[in-house]
Amino acid sequence: MSGIKLTYVKGRGFGESGRLIMAAAGVEWEEAHLTDKAQFEKLKQDGLLMFGQVPLLQIDGLNIVQSRAIIQYLANKFDMAGKTAADKAKVNMIIEGAKDFGIFHGIAFHPKESQAGLIAENKKKAENRYLPAFEKLLSGSNSGYFVGDSLTAADVLVFEDLLFMEDYLPGLTASYPKLQVFFEKMKGNPKLSAYLSSDKRFPIPDDKYVAEVIKVLY
Amino acid sequence: MSGIKLTYVKGRGFGESGRLIMAAAGVEWEEAHLTDKAQFEKLKQDGLLMFGQVPLLQIDGLNIVQSRAIIQYLANKFDMAGKTAADKAKVNMIIEGAKDFGIFHGIAFHPKESQAGLIAENKKKAENRYLPAFEKLLSGSNSGYFVGDSLTAADVLVFEDLLFMEDYLPGLTASYPKLQVFFEKMKGNPKLSAYLSSDKRFPIPDDKYVAEVIKVLY
């Protein structure tokens, strides 16, 4: 084992970016799932959670919390942060765009009757801002990756969003040819594909998961 | 001149972390303020804004958007990102905690009648989560800085929040002795102090600013 352990609830949420980066890097990690409040309280009492929140990534003797700090650490460790200062800046800009575009993550936590409206609203945001921006970025790429000539955390974060979007709005990437090619290329990545078809990958959030998250974390 | 230019509206907002890091580093930068929608539209048309948003930091020939990408770039450039991989992780965790704690930034954008309630709610969040977490981190520090033996972006981001909190809830840090010492130390930093008393530092958001932001950006 690599000795890497990710502690989170049993879903994608704020843990998924880290999981996808580790999957893309081809490393193994252990998962620990919080399924009751007492486990969560114990982690807090043990002083492992700097701000009393998960996910927690235990790696190289460190207890890393905050999804973006996890992303940065893993991206640096696995050479997915960009090679030059300029590339690193671009990777970070795209990571942040992808984070803002993470608008499909929270839908299941809203009341059923408002979800269709939210999906429609998010479709507009996707079409007006994020999908054209990603398409433009890929149009300037020779490698088919967002930055430089190899896979970076920027690719992984955009891929994470596209997968989530696909769950709610299948086929929406089809109008963006470069992004569509990118999406297929990422789906075809053997390491990512192995992860996505493994039992480590969680499905789209359902009522049971939402209830469990609320019970455990709130 | 350093050739660094920050483009944003005439307020703290998402531009302030970058300004404070540059101030702490002792570098000069030029400010460009968007005061009407046409200026903003021109920046978008010129392709300078990756996701159609400001702030924009022009530095070293790059057009960096997204406040966190700006923070990372400046922190790396000015040796405020932490020295080791472990310190870098800690700096990023604290930056993210400080970003979550940035709960006072948006108050002026809410309806007048809900602001007192929001301030009370934010006071609870501050006392229940962030101030004790920061106090604990400083209790483990020998230098009085959050990470390692010199000033990092983590210090700057927490300082930014404490200044904003002080505007709404003066004296709240007094119950946290280490944090109080830290706050005074940062206020006494000659470079930060010079910035804070300069006309580059914007006051707490008022009605005029809120109206201008809405007119220019939305």
Side-chain angles (χ1 to χ4, degrees), chain A residues 153-169:
Chain A
D155 300 298
V156 174
L157 271 276
V158 174
F159 182 52
E160 180 188 357
D161 284 337
L162 294 179
L163 288 167
F164 231 127
M165 191 176 77
E166 185 86 343
D167 282 336
Y168 286 104
L169 297 165

Side-chain angles (χ1 to χ4, degrees), chain B residues 121-136:
Chain B
E121 201 181 294
N122 288 347
K123 182 168 183 282
K124 267 193 215 166
K125 279 190 204 167
E127 292 177 324
N128 291 342
R129 171 162 292 165
Y130 297 103
L131 301 178
F134 295 138
E135 182 73 7
K136 187 180 166 194

Side-chain angles (χ1 to χ4, degrees), chain B residues 131-177:
Chain B
L131 301 178
F134 295 138
E135 182 73 7
K136 187 180 166 194
L137 283 162
L138 288 172
S139 301
S141 158
N142 293 319
S143 64
Y145 293 115
F146 275 94
V147 184
D149 57 7
S150 61
L151 191 142
T152 67
D155 300 298
V156 174
L157 271 276
V158 174
F159 182 53
E160 180 187 358
D161 285 338
L162 294 179
L163 288 168
F164 230 127
M165 191 176 77
E166 185 87 344
D167 282 337
Y168 286 104
L169 297 165
L172 192 59
T173 48
S175 315
Y176 304 86

Side-chain angles (χ1 to χ4, degrees), chain A residues 4 15 24 39 46 54 58 90 98 105 107 111 120 130 136 140 143-144 149 156 165-166 174 199 204 212 214-215:
Chain A
I4 306 174
Q39 298 166 322
D46 289 348
V54 284
Q58 294 177 289
K90 200 169 171 189
H105 283 65
I107 286 174
Y130 297 104
K136 186 178 166 195
S143 64
D149 56 8
V156 174
M165 191 176 77
E166 185 86 343
D199 58 7
I204 188 169
E212 185 162 288
I214 291 167
K215 186 192 71 176

Side-chain angles (χ1 to χ4, degrees), chain A residues 44 46-48 50-53 62-69 72-73 76 85-86 88-90 92-94 96-98 100 129-130 133-134 136-137, chain B residues 44 46-48 50-53 62-69 72-73 76 85-86 88-90 92-94 96-98 100 129-130 133-134 136-137:
Chain A
K44 288 197 241 183
D46 289 348
L48 295 183
M50 191 182 281
F51 299 105
Q53 295 166 312
L62 305 171
N63 297 311
I64 308 182
V65 293
Q66 294 282 0
S67 67
R68 287 177 170 91
Q72 292 291 331
Y73 190 85
N76 281 314
K88 281 179 210 293
K90 200 169 171 189
N92 282 331
M93 289 161 73
I94 296 166
E96 291 306 316
D100 289 345
R129 171 162 292 167
Y130 297 104
F134 294 138
K136 186 178 166 195
L137 283 163
Chain B
K44 290 197 241 183
D46 289 349
L48 295 184
M50 191 183 280
F51 299 105
Q53 295 166 314
L62 305 171
N63 297 312
I64 308 183
V65 292
Q66 294 282 0
S67 67
R68 285 176 171 92
Q72 292 290 332
Y73 189 85
N76 280 316
K88 282 179 210 294
K90 200 169 172 189
N92 282 331
M93 289 161 73
I94 296 167
E96 290 307 316
D100 289 346
R129 171 162 292 165
Y130 297 103
F134 295 138
K136 187 180 166 194
L137 283 162

Side-chain angles (χ1 to χ4, degrees), chain B residues 83-118:
Chain B
K83 293 192 172 77
T84 64
D87 279 359
K88 282 179 210 294
K90 200 169 172 189
V91 167
N92 282 331
M93 289 161 73
I94 296 167
I95 286 174
E96 290 307 316
K99 274 278 192 183
D100 289 346
F101 178 47
I103 47 189
F104 296 94
H105 283 66
I107 287 175
F109 289 83
H110 289 267
K112 278 275 183 296
E113 61 276 17
S114 63
Q115 292 183 9
L118 268 175

Side-chain angles (χ1 to χ4, degrees), chain B residues 11 35 51 55 70 74 77 89 107 115 157 176 194 207 209 212:
Chain B
T35 53
F51 299 105
I70 290 172
L74 292 172
K77 182 174 174 78
I107 287 175
Q115 292 183 9
L157 271 276
Y176 304 86
D207 294 349
Y209 168 67
E212 185 163 288

